[in-house]
Amino acid sequence: EEEARHDGVHLVQRVPPPLHLHLSTSLQPMTPAPLRLLCRVWFGATLAVACLLLGAATRVLHLLPISLELSEDLSVSTAAVLFRLMLRVNPQIRVINTAREADWDRLAACSPAMILMNHTSFFDFFLFTALLPPRFVRRAHVRTVMSASIAQLPFLGRSIGDHAGSFKVYFQAKGAGFGKGDASDFSVDRARQEAETARMEAHIKRRGVLAFCPEGGMNKTPSEGLNPFRRGSFAQAAKYSTPIWGAALHGSTAAWPRDALLGGDPSTVALSLEQLTLLPPPVATATAADLAEACQEAMQRQVDRLATLARGGARTEGGATRARAS
């Protein structure tokens, strides 16, 4: 790894390990319509089973005489296990996971921290959650930031929302942050959002990890690059000098096209985990705007590297592995 600076922000630039490139086509072969339909039906069935089991499990955990933090940790860990199993029984979705156990250990060791995710499809949530190691969840108390509309989904909403300790964003525009509505309107209900912001800050003070999508919503044109990162998302990072990591996701739109009611298409998806910034405590001079700009540049490079690896069928020695084999 090498370090660079961007307006006072220390950026971590990862030098990629040697890659063994396969000289195969980088494009996913066209899938016949009947096969695509069969894959989607199977994916939908396995997703329904996973969601039903998760809903039942988190409701039981919520009733147990254990601490709220432990209940939330176990809910997130259960989601990770169930969604990983779901991917394993969907072999038409090839998963490349370049995040090693040591990377997650490094992230946990530097908590409190923040994890940024690019967002292009509904599949992103399931992929990211599936690749979370339960041991990391329990050690770092990772929590996600999501649109309040997602937490209102029937049955599943409470499991991935309140039961998992997720933090809500109360967008004023209907459907904003959920791939619908006015994609340019990120205004929030300030009165309701203040309480969530206070909860986030308390979580950071307890050395927890926050995971969120800094673009503010689903990117409808990912081929044109990341959407501008929302400066307000980095207020806590600037205030508390928290290190920032990037969880780059690739191939989600192939697995679950944005305009499709259901995913499961034959595809290759991938995840990488890299540290984007180093903010030396106790005080960092970087503002939220500085962090937003620097992190967007660093994460764009990370996303591009992952896309090259996935499209080329590249593998690293001891690095990229299939989730179903890890």
Side-chain angles (χ1 to χ4, degrees):
E1 294 183 350
E2 298 177 350
E3 290 186 24
R5 292 180 65 87
H6 178 98
D7 294 335
V9 180
H10 291 271
L11 299 179
V12 178
Q13 295 183 317
R14 173 165 295 187
V15 179
L19 299 179
H20 302 283
L21 295 175
H22 292 186
L23 298 179
S24 59
T25 177
S26 62
L27 298 178
Q28 189 71 30
M30 292 295 293
T31 305
L35 177 59
R36 184 184 304 111
L37 177 60
L38 179 62
C39 289
R40 289 186 180 183
V41 170
W42 174 248
F43 176 81
T46 58
L47 176 60
V49 171
C51 290
L52 287 173
L53 291 174
L54 178 62
T58 63
R59 282 161 174 77
V60 171
L61 289 170
H62 193 65
L63 295 175
L64 294 179
I66 57 179
S67 69
L68 179 61
E69 182 178 69
L70 178 57
S71 175
E72 292 171 351
D73 286 343
L74 292 175
S75 293
V76 177
S77 298
T78 301
V81 171
L82 288 173
F83 292 148
R84 178 173 291 218
L85 288 174
M86 179 188 72
L87 290 181
R88 288 191 176 188
V89 297
N90 280 272
Q92 77 278 15
I93 302 176
R94 176 173 177 262
V95 181
I96 299 175
N97 179 14
T98 71
R100 297 165 297 183
E101 200 73 27
D103 295 325
W104 294 107
D105 288 342
R106 285 178 54 217
L107 198 166
C110 71
S111 60
M114 294 186 175
I115 305 176
L116 311 183
M117 297 174 287
N118 56 310
H119 185 27
T120 61
S121 163
F122 297 122
F123 192 78
D124 294 327
F125 168 77
F126 300 105
L127 177 61
F128 174 75
T129 305
L131 299 185
L132 282 174
R135 183 167 70 101
F136 167 75
V137 173
R138 295 191 297 271
R139 180 181 175 187
H141 313 297
V142 61
R143 303 288 185 266
T144 57
V145 181
M146 63 173 59
S147 170
S149 60
I150 298 178
Q152 295 173 356
L153 291 173
F155 197 69
L156 180 63
R158 291 189 65 187
S159 294
I160 63 176
D162 293 337
H163 291 172
S166 300
F167 301 101
K168 304 181 187 70
V169 179
Y170 292 96
F171 292 110
Q172 290 185 332
K174 185 177 180 180
F178 198 39
K180 302 177 181 179
D182 185 353
S184 63
D185 186 358
F186 294 98
S187 58
V188 298
D189 185 329
R190 292 186 178 276
R192 303 176 74 183
Q193 198 60 49
E194 284 180 0
E196 290 299 293
T197 299
R199 287 184 58 226
M200 290 184 206
E201 294 194 352
H203 182 66
I204 293 172
K205 290 177 180 178
R206 293 195 300 269
R207 301 189 63 78
V209 171
L210 282 176
F212 62 95
C213 302
E215 295 168 282
M218 192 180 294
N219 185 349
K220 298 181 179 181
T221 55
S223 61
E224 299 177 8
L226 297 171
N227 282 337
F229 284 8
R230 309 304 300 173
R231 296 180 179 182
S233 304
F234 295 86
Q236 284 83 18
K239 182 176 181 180
Y240 295 102
S241 303
T242 59
I244 301 175
W245 290 62
L249 306 171
H250 171 80
S252 293
T253 53
W256 190 330
R258 191 176 57 254
D259 58 353
L261 294 177
L262 196 60
D265 292 2
S267 54
T268 295
V269 297
L271 176 142
S272 69
L273 181 70
E274 299 181 10
Q275 187 169 2
L276 302 180
T277 68
L278 294 171
L279 297 178
V283 178
T285 59
T287 65
D290 293 334
L291 290 174
E293 185 177 352
C295 286
Q296 180 171 348
E297 291 185 7
M299 193 167 187
Q300 184 65 67
R301 292 192 293 270
Q302 180 188 0
V303 169
D304 292 343
R305 286 194 297 271
L306 184 63
T308 299
L309 184 151
R311 287 196 301 264
R315 289 187 174 85
T316 62
E317 294 182 349
T321 59
R322 295 192 183 201
R324 56 183 59 90
S326 60

